[in-house]
Amino acid sequence: MSGLEIGLWSFPALLALIFVRVPIGLAMFVTGGFGLWLVSGINLPLAKLKTETYSTFSNYSLSIVPMFLLMGQFATLGGMSSAIFRAAESWLGHRRGGVAMAAIGACAGFGAICGSSLATAATMSRVALPELRAYGYAGGFSTATLAAGGTLGILIPPSVVLVIYAILAEQNIAKLFLAAVIPGLLAAVGYLITISIYVRLYPGRAGVRAPVPYAERFRALIDVWPVLLVFGLVVGGIYLGWFTPAEGASVGAIGTGVIAFLNGGLRWRSLVESFMVTARSTAMIFFIILGAALYNGFLALTQVPQEISAFVTGQGFSPWTVLALILVFYLVLGCMMDSLSMILLTIPIFFPVIMSLDFGMSAEHTAIWFGILVLIAVEVGLITPPVGMNLFIINAMDRSTPMVETYRAVLFFVASDIVRVAILAAFPVITLVLLPG
Amino acid sequence: MHRKVTKLARFMAVLGGFVLVALILLTGVSVAGRVLNTFLHGSFMQGLSPDLAGRLIALGIGPVNGDYELVEAGMAFAVFAFLPLCQITGSHAYVDVFTAWLPPRASRVLRAVIEVAFAVILVVIAVQLHEGLQSKVRSGQSTFLLQTPVWWNYAASLLGAAIAALVGAYMAAVRALEAVSGRVIVAEGPEAVH
Amino acid sequence: AQDVTLKLHQFLPAQANVPKLILDVWADNVEKDSGGRIKVERFPAMQLGGTPPELIDQAIDGIADVVWTVVGYTPGRFPSTEVFELPFMVSDARAASAAYWQMFERHMKETEFADVHILATWVHGPGMFHTNKPVEHPADLQGMKIRGGGRMVNELLDLAGATPVGMPVPAVSEALANGVIDGATIPWEVTPALKVPELVKNHTEFEGAALYNLTFVLAMNKERYESLPDDLKAVIDKNSGLEFSVFAGGTQADADGPARQIAVDLGNNIITVSAADAEEWRKVVEPVYAKWVEDMAARGIDGQALIDEARSLMDAYGK
Ligand code: NA
Ligand code: NA
């Protein structure tokens, strides 16, 4: 077999491993390492491991991941997550579907300070799931709402997926964050519309509560000020160039940590528990990144990305057809893989393809716009049945709801996502309007 | 036995957590130092008392020297230190839909095979990291600014990598025993261990 | 049909000056001279994985067959090369690259570079400042965070009152854009590939001797080279050594002019420190020499002898 053939065979091999429940990072590690062995002998993968595990784990740009994860833990301990939920609920709770909308609003708010979709879904589920069930919301509707809301964690900046994209595509992180703001808000609005349609179709699946006096509503708003402060400092500081994303994450973690300590939420035991949560997610994410690094090095060596790029561009498809093919590919792939590995695997292949096409924009604008479209496409993957990380995490927290019910309800949110992708693809200006120059 | 190994993994995670917090604080101090340094050089302080400003600057108020490379080294240590807990709690991301229909027996065998493979990989990672450490000792490579030997960073990371390999081997043994005996020794899933 | 495929790995994008004007030329010549029996597969921008400081190990371990790398990315490993990185040491990249090769053969081949087969050694054009605020005197650097590409540059920056930040060159653009650094020390030649003239508006160049320099090597895996049949070894030999080193250093320095023009066209502020005004800078950075000689003494190397030899070889060049 030639290197190219080995490279092409590695795709089905990797998928087969993933389907038999091999952890994703391990599957990529093994496929990449074994592929390198076949192409170049056993010494090459072993020699790579002498320095590459260390250099992958010590990457300065990736240090943002555990920092934001820990910040999310502190925000929960400080009562900031539930404060956001109470504020949203006091304004929306009396409308049909209002509590679900409040959950979306809370996810959006939390997503604004948390960099990870899984962390947002997991954190907000702990707060909002019991509330939703208490208000008489159907199980599947509740879990689907939170699964979709959780994706706002990556859609609304800061976002780990965008950081990874920026590194792979050599783009400016601050500009990508800025470009993600309007699409992220559109996502939240789209989910609110989805909820109102859903409760109109199935009124029995959502409860309402008596309106809250305005005085109490404003009081709930005041409770949110620490969140707004930290959000303003972190996101604003990164945008204004006061600090790097990693520095912003540090400032945010210090801010939420201090607030949590003052609120009495951060003590020895809870600090240790937040280390545990951070440790598990960090190790999980970095092991996927390590596996992807090995697999990507192998793919590069076999020249498969170049060949696929040449094939796609050589077909004479129009740029828009190529873009549509890539986005559909992501929706399909999203049923099987998690967002980070999708980005890590595919951006080195598709990014040069997209950059070689003419969409009537500058190279930088094309890169940023494509990054946002990819971000949304992989995020949809998190909630598309049968495999979606957010679906699994939230369903695991509500054992009384069968998975199939979650699947059915989430399709409404997936539909709203697909409409949004189409709009943003057709009108790049929506994404690019906030960019300077 | 399981209690002891879990304790070790949690200890490493706490160690990594404190290093993470230290890096966060270091970065915070560096940001504060930079902001203050800019302020001391600014027209306000220079107009008020250039002498005082100069003396404060001479005290070293400014960004922390080598913060960038300290974050890199510390982060590698923290990630390696987090691996054992991820291993023992089964927190790695995987896809379970296509294997859900497997009979329990087959499922246990499959899990054992995967866990053994994982342990082998973790051992290889630790051994090769040790190789890398040896080569850094021989070459005498130092870091950019602090000019400390690079092998120190490798040595710190090797601690986590070695314990991860150990915990991986332990979990492989547990799953293999489960596959053979047919009884559950350690419940699966992140929620199972607290 | 080709007998041998060599993987050439390096850290800059394919369209940057060094890959385009030097490495591609080398690769094309090797392919041509071998009658197509050697094929050079080119992997730009660290595509084979790892980070720029790992490149030299990748050549030693055979992860790549040939690498181009900045020697200063691995401080402490190749101390003798630092003689060409001393401040105000180098006036002409061709002369320095020639001297570097001669001294490499005499002092470094069997010692510091014993693990790898070196094909060429060279330096870039004059190293200089690219900053967000104008820098004319050392005092202007007070409190600025400046990226340096190696140990010597960082010491120079430290003496001049700046806060040095060490990072490989591909990280410079994002660091400038994010405000992690206030400026960078790089030669003109690489500024377009890194979009530096768009990110900062001030450039400080020096008449006469360069403020600093970095040293490069084009390195090949040793076993790989030795395993080649004699006629293909001869092809590699023909395209390496003194002549290619001078070509590389000269070509890279010549690329400074067009790159400078881009900054001029953007209307950027270019400060040229005259040879007379450079005295002020020389005084500030003078201690670097004594400290380096001391450092070398600790390693059992006669630093002063290397300095003297480098100077006389550079003076003799072209005469
Ligand atoms: Na976010
Ligand atoms: Na999915």
mmCIF file of all heavy atoms in Angstrom, chain C residues 83-84 89 95 99 103 305-315:
data_model
loop_
_atom_site.group_PDB
_atom_site.id
_atom_site.type_symbol
_atom_site.label_atom_id
_atom_site.label_comp_id
_atom_site.label_asym_id
_atom_site.label_seq_id
_atom_site.Cartn_x
_atom_site.Cartn_y
_atom_site.Cartn_z
ATOM 1 N N VAL C 83 28.319 33.382 18.707
ATOM 2 C CA VAL C 83 29.290 34.425 18.385
ATOM 3 C C VAL C 83 28.743 35.342 17.283
ATOM 4 O O VAL C 83 29.008 36.547 17.275
ATOM 5 C CB VAL C 83 30.660 33.808 18.004
ATOM 6 C CG1 VAL C 83 30.589 33.075 16.677
ATOM 7 C CG2 VAL C 83 31.717 34.891 17.946
ATOM 8 N N PHE C 84 27.951 34.801 16.373
ATOM 9 C CA PHE C 84 27.384 35.623 15.296
ATOM 10 C C PHE C 84 26.085 36.320 15.727
ATOM 11 O O PHE C 84 25.458 37.004 14.937
ATOM 12 C CB PHE C 84 27.135 34.776 14.047
ATOM 13 C CG PHE C 84 28.416 34.267 13.437
ATOM 14 C CD1 PHE C 84 28.834 32.956 13.635
ATOM 15 C CD2 PHE C 84 29.223 35.113 12.695
ATOM 16 C CE1 PHE C 84 30.014 32.503 13.093
ATOM 17 C CE2 PHE C 84 30.411 34.668 12.137
ATOM 18 C CZ PHE C 84 30.813 33.352 12.355
ATOM 19 N N MET C 89 27.908 42.820 15.774
ATOM 20 C CA MET C 89 28.996 41.926 15.373
ATOM 21 C C MET C 89 29.047 41.828 13.847
ATOM 22 O O MET C 89 30.120 41.821 13.252
ATOM 23 C CB MET C 89 28.741 40.542 15.983
ATOM 24 C CG MET C 89 29.801 39.518 15.694
ATOM 25 S SD MET C 89 31.262 39.845 16.681
ATOM 26 C CE MET C 89 32.357 38.587 16.051
ATOM 27 N N ALA C 95 29.380 37.700 4.293
ATOM 28 C CA ALA C 95 30.655 37.499 4.987
ATOM 29 C C ALA C 95 30.442 36.668 6.252
ATOM 30 O O ALA C 95 31.211 35.735 6.539
ATOM 31 C CB ALA C 95 31.273 38.850 5.341
ATOM 32 N N ALA C 99 31.953 32.997 7.153
ATOM 33 C CA ALA C 99 32.745 32.790 8.366
ATOM 34 C C ALA C 99 32.115 31.715 9.247
ATOM 35 O O ALA C 99 32.805 30.857 9.812
ATOM 36 C CB ALA C 99 32.852 34.100 9.137
ATOM 37 N N MET C 103 33.913 28.336 10.499
ATOM 38 C CA MET C 103 34.068 28.052 11.927
ATOM 39 C C MET C 103 33.268 26.826 12.338
ATOM 40 O O MET C 103 33.648 26.100 13.254
ATOM 41 C CB MET C 103 33.675 29.269 12.762
ATOM 42 C CG MET C 103 34.725 30.375 12.631
ATOM 43 S SD MET C 103 34.265 31.893 13.444
ATOM 44 C CE MET C 103 34.276 31.419 15.144
ATOM 45 N N ALA C 305 38.477 33.991 21.698
ATOM 46 C CA ALA C 305 39.116 33.469 20.489
ATOM 47 C C ALA C 305 38.102 33.344 19.356
ATOM 48 O O ALA C 305 38.401 33.668 18.198
ATOM 49 C CB ALA C 305 39.764 32.126 20.782
ATOM 50 N N LEU C 306 36.880 32.876 19.689
ATOM 51 C CA LEU C 306 35.841 32.747 18.661
ATOM 52 C C LEU C 306 35.477 34.117 18.097
ATOM 53 O O LEU C 306 35.296 34.279 16.881
ATOM 54 C CB LEU C 306 34.589 32.072 19.242
ATOM 55 C CG LEU C 306 34.693 30.588 19.589
ATOM 56 C CD1 LEU C 306 33.376 30.084 20.187
ATOM 57 C CD2 LEU C 306 35.046 29.760 18.356
ATOM 58 N N ILE C 307 35.375 35.110 18.995
ATOM 59 C CA ILE C 307 35.032 36.469 18.546
ATOM 60 C C ILE C 307 36.103 36.981 17.580
ATOM 61 O O ILE C 307 35.797 37.464 16.481
ATOM 62 C CB ILE C 307 34.908 37.426 19.759
ATOM 63 C CG1 ILE C 307 33.694 37.039 20.615
ATOM 64 C CG2 ILE C 307 34.782 38.874 19.289
ATOM 65 C CD1 ILE C 307 33.584 37.820 21.924
ATOM 66 N N ASP C 308 37.375 36.812 17.985
ATOM 67 C CA ASP C 308 38.475 37.306 17.150
ATOM 68 C C ASP C 308 38.500 36.585 15.802
ATOM 69 O O ASP C 308 38.673 37.212 14.749
ATOM 70 C CB ASP C 308 39.820 37.115 17.870
ATOM 71 C CG ASP C 308 39.885 37.934 19.156
ATOM 72 O OD1 ASP C 308 39.085 38.889 19.278
ATOM 73 O OD2 ASP C 308 40.684 37.598 20.047
ATOM 74 N N GLU C 309 38.302 35.273 15.849
ATOM 75 C CA GLU C 309 38.337 34.492 14.612
ATOM 76 C C GLU C 309 37.191 34.905 13.677
ATOM 77 O O GLU C 309 37.404 35.087 12.474
ATOM 78 C CB GLU C 309 38.235 33.003 14.949
ATOM 79 C CG GLU C 309 38.423 32.098 13.750
ATOM 80 C CD GLU C 309 38.352 30.619 14.128
ATOM 81 O OE1 GLU C 309 38.293 30.316 15.346
ATOM 82 O OE2 GLU C 309 38.362 29.793 13.203
ATOM 83 N N ALA C 310 36.006 35.071 14.248
ATOM 84 C CA ALA C 310 34.861 35.478 13.436
ATOM 85 C C ALA C 310 35.128 36.833 12.786
ATOM 86 O O ALA C 310 34.849 37.039 11.599
ATOM 87 C CB ALA C 310 33.601 35.541 14.304
ATOM 88 N N ARG C 311 35.687 37.748 13.560
ATOM 89 C CA ARG C 311 35.959 39.092 13.014
ATOM 90 C C ARG C 311 36.958 39.020 11.861
ATOM 91 O O ARG C 311 36.744 39.627 10.817
ATOM 92 C CB ARG C 311 36.492 39.996 14.125
ATOM 93 C CG ARG C 311 35.397 40.444 15.070
ATOM 94 C CD ARG C 311 35.737 41.783 15.728
ATOM 95 N NE ARG C 311 34.543 42.279 16.433
ATOM 96 C CZ ARG C 311 34.513 42.514 17.748
ATOM 97 N NH1 ARG C 311 35.604 42.325 18.497
ATOM 98 N NH2 ARG C 311 33.402 42.965 18.303
ATOM 99 N N SER C 312 38.040 38.255 12.063
ATOM 100 C CA SER C 312 39.065 38.240 11.017
ATOM 101 C C SER C 312 38.546 37.512 9.773
ATOM 102 O O SER C 312 38.838 37.916 8.649
ATOM 103 C CB SER C 312 40.371 37.633 11.536
ATOM 104 O OG SER C 312 40.215 36.248 11.673
ATOM 105 N N LEU C 313 37.751 36.457 9.954
ATOM 106 C CA LEU C 313 37.191 35.755 8.789
ATOM 107 C C LEU C 313 36.231 36.659 8.014
ATOM 108 O O LEU C 313 36.209 36.662 6.786
ATOM 109 C CB LEU C 313 36.468 34.482 9.233
ATOM 110 C CG LEU C 313 37.355 33.287 9.603
ATOM 111 C CD1 LEU C 313 36.524 32.184 10.218
ATOM 112 C CD2 LEU C 313 38.102 32.784 8.366
ATOM 113 N N MET C 314 35.400 37.436 8.764
ATOM 114 C CA MET C 314 34.454 38.333 8.088
ATOM 115 C C MET C 314 35.211 39.437 7.352
ATOM 116 O O MET C 314 34.835 39.834 6.257
ATOM 117 C CB MET C 314 33.463 38.920 9.097
ATOM 118 C CG MET C 314 32.420 37.907 9.557
ATOM 119 S SD MET C 314 31.048 38.633 10.473
ATOM 120 C CE MET C 314 31.830 39.055 12.004
ATOM 121 N N ASP C 315 36.288 39.930 7.971
ATOM 122 C CA ASP C 315 37.098 40.971 7.311
ATOM 123 C C ASP C 315 37.750 40.436 6.046
ATOM 124 O O ASP C 315 37.877 41.145 5.049
ATOM 125 C CB ASP C 315 38.199 41.483 8.258
ATOM 126 C CG ASP C 315 37.644 42.394 9.333
ATOM 127 O OD1 ASP C 315 36.506 42.885 9.128
ATOM 128 O OD2 ASP C 315 38.319 42.610 10.365
#
